[in-house]
Amino acid sequence: MSRNVQSILTGILTGHYPCSLSTREWRDLILVARANSLLPRVAAFILNDVKCNLQVPTNVNAHLIASIRHETLFHNQVKDEVNFVNAKISRALNRNLIVLKGAGYVVASSSAAKGRIFSDIDLLVLKEDVSKVERALHLFGFVSDTDSEYDQKYYREWAHEIPPLRHLQRGTVLDVHHNIVPLVSGRAPDIEIFLKSTVKTEYGVEVLRPAAMFLHSAIHLFFSEEFTNGYRDLSDLSLLLDEIIDDDDEISYLFFLAENTGFENEIFLALRYLDRIFGRTIPQDITKNFKQVPPSKIRLVVMDFIFGKVLAANHRLVDVKFRGLAQWLAFVRGHLLKMPFNILVKHTASKLWRGIVKSVTGDVENRHHVQRKDIKD
Amino acid sequence: MSELSNAQYQSAVKKSELNIEFGLISVNVNSSFSQVTKTISELYRDYNVTLSSDWFDFNVSVEKPSNFRRFFRSQAVFKLDGHIPFKPLPSAHAYPLFEWGMNWCVANFYHRYLIFHAAVLEKNGKAVIFPAPPGSGKSTLCAYLALSGWRLLSDEMAVLDIETGNVLPFVRPICLKNNSIRLVEDWFPEAFISDVATDTQKGDVAHVRPPTDSVRRCGEGAKLFAIVFPQFKAGSTTEIFSMTQMNTLKMLVENAFNFDLFGHEGFEFISRKLPDLLLLEATYSNVDDLRTVLESEVQD
């Protein structure tokens, strides 16, 4: 009798370990975890949690150990890079540098850092500091990845960040933000309130305080149009929830922040799918904080259809009916949230054209064979 | 593999039920290119295979891409568990793509062991590692030794178990490039060499079937004895220099796949190991001369 691989995976990621796994279940667990960028996290739970009594077969252990080695090196590199960048730009800043998302989890030593691999280091600076920061980073070897005029215009006018900067030698990618959602969405909050919701780390940089970290992660997820790593992001939220769930101050701050920035709905969605997909029962004490009117029945049905599917682990072994349709709806929804319709049409046309060109010509350049990619998302 | 009938083999591959057992790892293979399945059955003739087993370390395939390029100047894509990690190649390079893709899986994911880009051969229970960048004649030397009675452990990867200090085999077909294909054909007319894929990014490429004995012993590690850096130089006489530990370490690191992932552990392992090993640099043009020198070194 074979169990559902996603339920095994979710169990492990929430500390509910099965008593044992068959060879085939181990194999499928590794495949699904790897495909969802979660193998290092699964490995960290299984190998480092004293509560886990699973007997790990040697051939499985090889993959777990390997991914932990990868994670350890990667996190060391991230800390180094954050130190390097901060040392180079701190004098150009009118306020301490804030590190967001994955790199933020790592320098904050948050539970969500556990086994977290990501591709970019996300930074938040004051809007007035952006051009100084950009010049300073240019000076120290970070250059813009894109020279497409459309991309430059898109970022400069509509986005909440400047085009990604890649280090010439190390290949590290920095995303410099001045807000947390695109300006063109009309939902960008007064960033001041987030700037006041930070804590200092041992690296001299700041990160969002746990409640703000949870909120930002929820906003980021439910503003996405693309959910390849949706299940992983939900796992982040589950770990970020652990950081605040027993702390009344953080919980009330979470709702204070959400209400004042207009993101209560994102919290609602995050808690709803943590419950439905990750089996995290959310206590009444928390849900009673909602001030917004709950979404209508019909709205909920649509949301559940979309997010119930796109936030499931992404792998052929996890059978989700109509996943493609849900992905498409999520894609449209994400874009509509991010930009007004007229701009969306232009944006889509531009992306579509490039997509067509690529699918016709195929990409034969840049062949990589025996090369390890350190940083993967 | 040779015990399977062609029909059994084809059907197992088609249903993704065929695992090749390398000892080090087990790989589930599949391809929609008949060129690839045919070459696999030839080159991996002597390997143990399992059918629909519950375990594999990697499931790989080489397939036709699902875009317009299916129809003109056709291409081949490598997939790991259905995911495409790198760009397609022309379909004529489908077989090398399969081999390179498999190397990539191990180099990219299998960090249980310390892995260097090197050929490994053994004689009299003494393993010699030949780390070398492309163009140094490593594969030609590797094929020559493997077909002259040395046991092949690997053509591409020295897999080191830092717990036991042994080097583990990862026996695979030997990848020959350009002129060396012809040379090996002339030296060893009885050796089986695959069809040549022309004009790949490494030039013309063909693979040599590994010796049966090496394949049979693919679960058997060997004691590390020497590290030799070969350098083919046309017209030169064979010259052997001893290497300092410092230089060896430097050159090993340059040829490492995952040394950085092992941190202190890896550095300490190598530092502990180097004083016990014979460290050489060899310049040669006559491969048989070099073989004679190496065989005198590994004599009991």
Side-chain angles (χ1 to χ4, degrees):
Chain A
M1 177 62 211
S2 100
R3 288 167 283 192
N4 170 332
V5 57
Q6 179 172 309
S7 68
I8 295 171
L9 181 57
T10 310
I12 290 169
L13 293 170
T14 49
H16 303 296
Y17 305 101
C19 297
S20 67
L21 291 175
S22 70
T23 307
R24 188 177 277 265
E25 285 172 332
W26 276 115
R27 182 194 73 190
D28 292 349
L29 175 69
I30 289 175
L31 290 177
V32 176
R34 179 175 283 145
N36 287 276
S37 311
L38 279 166
L39 191 54
R41 183 167 286 170
V42 166
F45 269 102
I46 292 177
L47 300 179
N48 303 340
D49 187 349
V50 286
K51 289 200 321 250
C52 177
N53 296 318
L54 270 170
Q55 285 295 315
V56 185
T58 326
N59 45 1
V60 173
N61 197 44
H63 291 274
L64 300 185
I65 293 277
S67 72
I68 294 243
R69 285 193 206 283
H70 185 188
E71 183 234 29
T72 309
L73 173 70
F74 178 73
H75 283 191
N76 286 337
Q77 288 171 332
V78 167
K79 291 171 192 165
D80 269 2
E81 198 69 45
V82 166
N83 272 330
F84 174 86
V85 168
N86 191 41
K88 300 302 181 202
I89 68 172
S90 59
R91 271 183 302 158
L93 296 173
N94 283 309
R95 104 175 278 302
N96 283 337
L97 183 63
I98 301 171
V99 183
L100 299 172
K101 295 199 280 187
Y105 308 156
V106 171
V107 294
S109 307
S110 161
S111 329
K114 190 186 288 186
R116 185 67 156 81
I117 304 287
F118 42 92
S119 57
D120 317 333
I121 295 179
D122 294 289
L123 307 172
L124 179 64
V125 301
L126 297 173
K127 195 164 186 194
E128 70 214 53
D129 285 346
V130 167
S131 55
K132 275 185 291 178
V133 167
E134 199 176 2
R135 277 201 303 275
L137 289 173
H138 282 326
L139 212 58
F140 292 103
F142 288 95
V143 296
S144 175
D145 241 4
T146 167
D147 43 12
S148 136
E149 214 171 290
Y150 178 82
D151 284 347
Q152 290 287 346
K153 181 178 143 73
Y154 168 82
Y155 279 105
R156 305 284 166 185
E157 282 183 26
W158 297 332
H160 52 309
E161 58 187 322
I162 60 174
L165 298 168
R166 181 186 295 276
H167 193 270
L168 286 170
Q169 276 109 41
R170 295 192 298 279
T172 328
V173 176
L174 302 179
D175 276 342
V176 180
H177 300 73
H178 50 80
N179 204 311
I180 53 167
V181 292
L183 304 180
V184 71
S185 69
R187 297 272 311 269
D190 178 4
I191 198 65
E192 201 51 39
I193 189 165
F194 276 95
L195 300 178
K196 286 193 186 123
S197 311
T198 61
V199 286
K200 196 130 194 194
T201 67
E202 57 181 302
Y203 301 92
V205 296
E206 294 180 12
V207 291
L208 296 177
R209 64 186 269 184
M213 227 180 223
F214 181 89
L215 177 62
H216 181 223
S217 180
I219 295 170
H220 194 261
L221 178 57
F222 291 100
F223 256 73
S224 298
E225 67 281 346
E226 200 261 335
F227 289 85
T228 316
N229 282 316
Y231 181 80
R232 193 270 319 269
D233 293 346
L234 203 56
S235 157
D236 285 352
L237 279 167
S238 171
L239 294 170
L240 292 168
L241 181 65
D242 291 340
E243 301 266 297
I244 56 175
I245 196 158
D246 296 323
D247 186 334
D248 294 344
D249 290 344
E250 285 302 306
I251 290 291
S252 46
Y253 193 77
L254 172 67
F255 284 90
F256 161 80
L257 200 56
E259 205 185 313
N260 283 281
T261 50
F263 291 115
E264 260 201 318
N265 192 46
E266 280 67 22
I267 301 284
F268 175 84
L269 294 172
L271 297 180
R272 184 173 181 85
Y273 298 107
L274 277 173
D275 178 3
R276 296 173 84 101
I277 296 173
F278 263 70
R280 300 291 309 257
T281 322
I282 312 296
Q284 276 278 308
D285 278 2
I286 294 184
T287 48
K288 70 165 199 264
N289 287 293
F290 279 114
K291 297 233 168 56
Q292 72 168 22
V293 190
S296 66
K297 258 264 166 61
I298 175 84
R299 215 182 144 79
L300 275 182
V301 170
V302 176
M303 289 296 144
D304 287 349
F305 177 83
I306 297 177
F307 292 116
K309 294 175 193 307
V310 299
L311 295 179
N314 213 341
H315 195 277
R316 73 192 142 73
L317 291 171
V318 180
D319 184 30
V320 175
K321 302 258 178 317
F322 302 110
R323 192 201 293 264
L325 174 61
Q327 278 168 338
W328 184 80
L329 289 171
F331 185 77
V332 173
R333 174 190 177 272
H335 272 104
L336 282 172
L337 274 177
K338 277 187 177 153
M339 45 183 85
F341 189 69
N342 58 335
I343 293 180
L344 176 61
V345 171
K346 276 195 256 177
H347 183 68
T348 313
S350 161
K351 291 255 165 178
L352 195 63
W353 172 244
R354 276 194 272 177
I356 291 172
V357 170
K358 206 168 151 187
S359 84
V360 171
T361 56
D363 272 315
V364 205
E365 294 85 36
N366 303 323
R367 299 154 175 171
H368 302 293
H369 290 290
V370 183
Q371 184 198 50
R372 201 187 72 229
K373 271 167 79 187
D374 271 327
I375 299 182
K376 281 184 77 182
D377 206 344
Chain B
M1 173 105 62
S2 52
E3 287 160 21
L4 291 182
S5 73
N6 187 44
Q8 276 175 313
Y9 168 74
Q10 294 297 346
S11 126
V13 171
K14 200 174 229 157
K15 288 192 254 168
S16 290
E17 284 176 352
L18 187 84
N19 291 358
I20 302 180
E21 304 295 337
F22 289 96
L24 185 72
I25 54 168
S26 164
V27 181
N28 182 277
V29 299
N30 187 339
S31 180
S32 50
F33 288 94
S34 55
Q35 171 70 22
V36 174
T37 51
K38 175 184 139 253
T39 310
I40 291 174
S41 71
E42 291 163 348
L43 293 176
Y44 289 88
R45 182 192 68 182
D46 301 325
Y47 284 71
N48 275 331
V49 294
T50 48
L51 297 180
S52 45
S53 121
D54 280 344
W55 176 259
F56 53 70
D57 288 277
F58 299 105
N59 50 340
V60 305
S61 61
V62 172
E63 293 169 23
K64 293 170 181 141
S66 56
N67 62 16
F68 297 114
R69 290 302 290 269
R70 196 177 261 278
F71 305 110
F72 70 102
R73 288 175 57 201
S74 72
Q75 293 181 318
V77 288
F78 176 82
K79 289 188 182 175
L80 167 61
D81 190 31
H83 171 77
I84 303 174
F86 32 71
K87 303 214 159 141
L89 292 185
S91 59
H93 304 162
Y95 189 75
L97 180 62
F98 168 75
E99 289 286 336
W100 294 334
M102 222 164 15
N103 289 340
W104 176 85
C105 290
V106 174
N108 205 44
F109 293 109
Y110 208 70
H111 309 307
R112 174 181 180 185
Y113 300 114
L114 191 52
I115 304 179
F116 294 96
H117 184 212
V120 185
L121 293 117
E122 172 255 313
K123 201 171 174 75
N124 301 327
K126 297 173 178 174
V128 181
I129 297 187
F130 300 91
S136 53
K138 168 181 65 92
S139 290
T140 321
L141 174 64
C142 176
Y144 192 87
L145 294 176
L147 296 167
S148 325
W150 287 61
R151 171 160 79 107
L152 174 71
L153 279 84
S154 176
D155 157 45
E156 280 286 338
M157 291 187 204
V159 180
L160 299 177
D161 183 345
I162 63 173
E163 276 156 34
T164 63
N166 282 346
V167 53
L168 304 177
F170 184 34
V171 183
R172 301 270 302 282
I174 302 166
C175 177
L176 297 176
K177 286 136 234 157
N178 302 319
N179 296 336
S180 63
I181 303 171
R182 198 52 186 287
L183 285 174
V184 173
E185 270 171 357
D186 289 348
W187 290 331
F188 305 99
E190 73 287 358
F192 178 85
I193 303 181
S194 71
D195 295 339
V196 180
T198 53
D199 281 331
T200 75
Q201 70 268 37
K202 296 187 182 185
D204 295 351
V205 162
H207 286 82
V208 186
R209 175 158 67 209
T212 308
D213 176 62
S214 302
V215 176
R216 294 259 180 270
R217 294 168 66 190
C218 73
E220 201 182 302
K223 230 173 115 66
L224 209 49
F225 174 73
I227 302 179
V228 178
F229 294 88
Q231 182 58 60
F232 176 84
K233 216 180 257 172
S236 67
T237 52
T238 304
E239 286 185 300
I240 311 284
F241 308 96
S242 82
M243 291 267 289
T244 62
Q245 292 177 32
M246 270 294 275
N247 270 336
T248 308
L249 176 66
K250 185 172 152 279
M251 290 178 72
L252 272 178
V253 171
E254 278 167 20
N255 288 289
F257 281 120
N258 59 7
F259 190 60
D260 49 354
L261 285 161
F262 280 73
H264 289 287
E265 254 183 308
F267 179 77
E268 274 154 28
F269 170 75
I270 295 292
S271 319
R272 231 178 18 248
K273 206 78 199 167
L274 285 184
D276 305 336
L277 302 179
L278 181 67
L279 310 175
L280 301 174
E281 188 178 17
T283 311
Y284 69 99
S285 61
N286 182 329
V287 67
D288 197 59
D289 268 3
L290 182 57
R291 179 185 65 85
T292 314
V293 175
L294 291 170
E295 286 185 359
S296 72
E297 296 288 355
V298 298
Q299 220 141 57
D300 288 318

